[in-house]
Amino acid sequence: MYDVTEVRKDFPILSREVHGSTLVYLDNGASAQKPKVVIDTVTRVYGDEYANVHRGLHYLSNLTTEHYETVRGVVARFLGAGSEREIVFTSGTTEGINLVAYAWAAPRMGPGDEIVLSIAEHHANIVPWHFLRERQGVKLVWVETEPDGSLDAEKVLAAITPRTRLVAVTHVSNVLGTVVDVTRITEGAHAAGVPVLVDGSQGAVHMPVNVAEIGCDFYPITGHKLYGPSGSGAIYIKAERMAEMRPFMGGGDMIREVTREAVSYADPPMKFEAGTPGIVQTIGFGAALDYLMALGMDNVAAHEARLAAYARERFKALNWLNIQGDAPGKAAIFSMTIEGGGHAHDISTILDQKGIAVRAGHHCAHPLMQHLGLTATARASFGLYNTEAEVDRLVDGLELAHRLLG
Ligand code: PLP
C-alpha cells in the first residue's frame, strides 16, 4: 500500500483550484491526470532529444528511436505479454480495435458470420463491428448484463454458435464498473475455436493485468487513461493472430520495399505502424507505465478497492441516489442519478461549481444506456490518487444537488 498524500504530490494539477475550491478530479474514467515524471519526459524529449524515429542515422534520431522502441518492452512487461513483438503502438484503444477489425476480422468474415458482444461495450468496441455488419453482412450477437450489472461469462459462451468468429468484450465496464471474467470467457471461447478481444481501456487502469494468464488474442489499452499522454496507446496481439493479419494503413515505416509494381512489408509489429507515429506521446506513455509499475498495480487496485468500499458506505445513506451496477468486486466507477429529478448535466454542473469534476452523459455506451432505460448518468470514476476526503466532498456536492434538484 502506498501513501496517497505522497502520491498526490506527483500530480501537479491536483493542487489547483476550480471555482474557488481545490479540485476533486473524479473523471478518471474519461482521462486521468499526469504525474510529473510524464510531463517532464514529454518536455525533455521535445526540448533536448527530439527527431523522427526509424529513419535517420544521426545521433538524435537514434536516441529518440531507442527511447521509443524501449516502450514496446515496457508495455509487454506491464501487460505480461510473452514478447514485445506482440505489441503494436496505437493512438489509443479506438485505433487498436479498428486495427483488429480492418486487418484481422474484415478479410475472414462474410455474410452470416457472427461476433458476440456484451451490451456493456463502449462505442469503440461496437462501431468497428457495425462497419463489418454494414459492409459484409456480419451479424452482431448481444449478451445482456444481469440486474446487478454483472456479465455472466457462461451466457457469453452460450451465445457462441458454429458461425461465431470473434468474441469482443470489455474487461471493465466504463459505466457500471463491472469486472468481467475474461479468463473464463477466453477459455470457453477458445475451446470452441473462437478468438477473443478484450477491451482493456478500463481494466488495465484499475488492476494488474496479465494477458498470458487471461489467454486472450487481442488486448488494446489507451495511454491517456493510464496516466500517460493522449494520443498514445498499444494493443497486445497474440503472435498467431498477428501472423494472420493483413496491413491496415499503408505508408512509410511499415514496408520492406516498394517498387512501381509491388510492395513488400516490414515484419510485425512494424507492419501495422504506418507513418510517423506519436513519438513523444509513446515515450511519455512508457514513463507512465514505469510509474504505475513502480507504484505496483496491486497497490493501485487495493487503494481503489478501499475507496470504492468507503464510497459505497457513504452512498448508502443517500436513499435518493441511484447507482447503476452493484456487481461484486466492481471497480471504483459510479454512474449515478438522483431520484425524482435532476438531469445528469445539472448534477455535474452543480458539482463543478464546488470544484468536483465528474462526467455526465451516455458515456459512449448507447446500447447499455438503452438496456438500463436511461439517457444519461453522472459518473464519478476514481483513480490512484483519490482520497476518502474527496469521497466526502462528492457526497456533500450530491446532497447539495439533491436539495436543489430533487
Ligand atoms: N473502451 C472503453 C471501455 C472506454 O472506457 C474507452 C474510453 O472511454 C474506450 C474504449 C475508448 O478509448 P479511446 O477513446 O482512448 O480510444
Side-chain angles (χ1 to χ4, degrees), residues 277-329:
I279 299 165
V280 184
Q281 293 91 324
T282 300
I283 297 174
F285 180 36
L289 296 184
D290 277 334
Y291 178 85
L292 288 173
M293 286 190 278
L295 212 53
M297 284 309 294
D298 44 356
N299 289 326
V300 171
H303 174 74
E304 291 185 7
R306 225 183 43 200
L307 267 184
Y310 181 69
R312 276 169 133 146
E313 209 43 49
R314 293 287 333 257
F315 293 155
K316 255 191 217 158
L318 314 180
N319 57 10
W320 37 264
L321 187 72
N322 292 325
I323 306 270
Q324 299 302 318
D326 193 28

Side-chain angles (χ1 to χ4, degrees), residues 29-30 92-95 122 124 170 172 174 199 201-202 222 224-225:
T93 296
T94 302
E95 186 185 330
H122 185 281
T170 193
V172 170
N174 64 315
D199 176 351
S201 303
Q202 301 287 343
T222 201
H224 67 98
K225 294 185 205 288

